Amino acid sequence: MWRNFKLNHFIVISGLETLTLGAYLIYVQHVFNPYRPAELAHIIQHAQDPGMAIILVCVGMLAIITGCWDINRFKAKRLSIVSMAAIWSTYFVAFFYHDCQRPGPIGFGTFLIAFILIRLLAEALWGERT
């Protein structure tokens, strides 16, 4: 398993990041509090629902299991990377919209999510084809 982890360290670490965000959203309530009423604020607030956080945890676990056991059937590695990129792009939009609705600069978490998303998209586009 250690050899598989070294071979697939990108997928495993990205899965840990996704799992951690899901655990954080389960633990911390009211991350997306609207500062002023807007038409999309109620939709963005659903990004912190327990169902969405459980999806994050499941996708993170899928990526960790895929990487640690080097699962190549059914293009599991590509599926893990693409599903993580989809989830992180959704959360980037939610965090960015939340930051635009409140006074002050864009939050540090939004920048971190942007770079995680860029890294996932680069791996999805130019990574090793398995």
Side-chain angles (χ1 to χ4, degrees):
M1 185 161 56
W2 181 249
R3 184 183 70 76
N4 293 337
F5 174 76
K6 290 192 293 186
L7 180 67
N8 302 311
H9 65 278
F10 177 82
I11 294 173
V12 175
I13 292 172
S14 297
L16 284 170
E17 291 169 348
T18 306
L19 180 104
T20 304
L21 179 64
Y24 176 77
L25 290 176
I26 289 173
Y27 180 71
V28 176
Q29 298 297 317
H30 308 294
V31 175
F32 299 108
N33 288 331
Y35 287 92
R36 59 183 171 188
E39 53 278 349
L40 289 178
H42 66 282
I43 296 172
I44 299 300
Q45 285 182 340
H46 289 293
Q48 65 188 4
D49 286 346
M52 290 297 290
I54 289 172
I55 289 172
L56 275 167
V57 169
C58 291
V59 167
M61 287 302 297
L62 171 73
I64 292 169
I65 290 169
T66 299
C68 285
W69 278 275
D70 198 28
I71 299 172
N72 292 318
R73 293 181 54 116
F74 307 115
K75 300 186 187 248
K77 292 179 187 176
R78 304 301 294 168
L79 179 68
S80 296
I81 291 173
V82 169
S83 61
M84 283 189 293
I87 293 263
W88 282 101
S89 63
T90 302
Y91 276 94
F92 173 72
V93 169
F95 273 78
F96 185 73
Y97 183 78
H98 178 260
D99 289 343
C100 289
Q101 291 299 315
R102 66 183 176 93
I106 293 176
F108 186 67
T110 306
F111 284 113
L112 289 177
I113 290 175
F115 283 111
I116 290 172
L117 179 61
I118 290 169
R119 188 175 46 115
L120 282 168
L121 291 175
E123 180 67 23
L125 292 174
W126 302 304
E128 177 183 329
R129 302 281 182 208
T130 54

